[in-house]
Amino acid sequence: MDTIPEQRDLALQKLDPRVIRLWQISQAINSAFWLAATLLAVAVLAWNRVISLPLAVLLLGAMLALRLFLFFWYPPRAYANWGYRLDGTVLEIHFGIWWKTIQLLPLSRLQHVDLHSGPLERSLGLATLSLHTAGTHDAVLVIPGLDAGQAARLRDELVAKGGDDGV
């Protein structure tokens, strides 16, 4: 894969490592919902003899195994595959575990930048940048899991460098 020559010299910036904890907390919240829904569903099905009790236990165990996999395996790997780099004219974002994605944002196409932080992000000192561009397909690029101070500095730098084409 060819890259822009001046970008070869710039290392990818990593997200803040605290984002792993944020993603694990999010997985735990999602897991509580999905495990409760699965438990309710298999209990109703087993009670009404639609499925056998051993099958109900197997289904619940499968859901638990999936949620544990997503809790322990996914966040560290997602973190390892996230990165971004900013040169004078382009913001490059890399992410994905199974499907690798590289997004390039010419800074001249940047319309505005949002900085937001939900309650869990704030409790960990993190923030997310949303970058808005012209167009409809993938018109918003997101960089999650940044240190809140670093996110504000990156926002200010992007605003200063980009968006000069009058779009």
Side-chain angles (χ1 to χ4, degrees):
M1 177 178 81
D2 291 334
T3 59
I4 299 170
E6 56 273 5
Q7 287 183 340
R8 283 188 208 134
D9 298 334
L10 298 173
L12 283 177
Q13 298 295 312
K14 299 300 292 175
L15 302 179
D16 191 289
R18 292 174 289 180
V19 74
I20 296 171
R21 189 75 185 133
L22 174 68
W23 290 338
Q24 287 176 327
I25 292 168
S26 296
Q27 286 292 345
I29 292 167
N30 286 331
S31 293
F33 169 77
W34 284 110
L35 287 170
T38 302
L39 178 60
L40 179 63
V42 298
V44 167
L45 292 172
W47 181 263
N48 291 315
R49 299 176 200 257
V50 175
I51 62 173
S52 65
L53 186 58
L55 181 57
V57 171
L58 180 66
L59 290 173
L60 188 59
M63 179 58 78
L64 179 61
L66 173 64
R67 298 316 300 183
L68 286 171
F69 169 78
L70 291 173
F71 181 83
F72 289 107
W73 185 86
Y74 187 83
R77 276 139 195 99
Y79 170 77
N81 286 291
W82 251 104
Y84 68 93
R85 91 176 98 227
L86 177 64
D87 71 7
T89 59
V90 175
L91 174 67
E92 182 179 347
I93 300 172
H94 293 238
F95 61 92
I97 296 175
W98 292 288
W99 289 271
K100 305 283 186 180
T101 301
I102 299 173
Q103 296 176 321
L104 298 175
L105 171 61
L107 297 181
S108 64
R109 303 296 294 163
L110 184 63
Q111 289 188 328
H112 66 277
V113 181
D114 294 332
L115 176 64
H116 55 90
S117 185
L120 292 176
E121 285 176 305
R122 281 194 309 274
S123 72
L124 293 169
L126 299 174
T128 297
L129 275 182
S130 296
L131 308 140
H132 300 266
T133 64
T136 57
H137 180 70
D138 290 331
V140 178
L141 285 72
V142 176
I143 304 176
L146 296 171
D147 175 79
Q150 178 189 3
R153 286 187 297 278
L154 182 57
R155 177 202 55 203
D156 295 344
E157 183 178 356
L158 287 166
V159 168
K161 287 184 177 182
D164 62 356
D165 70 348
V167 174

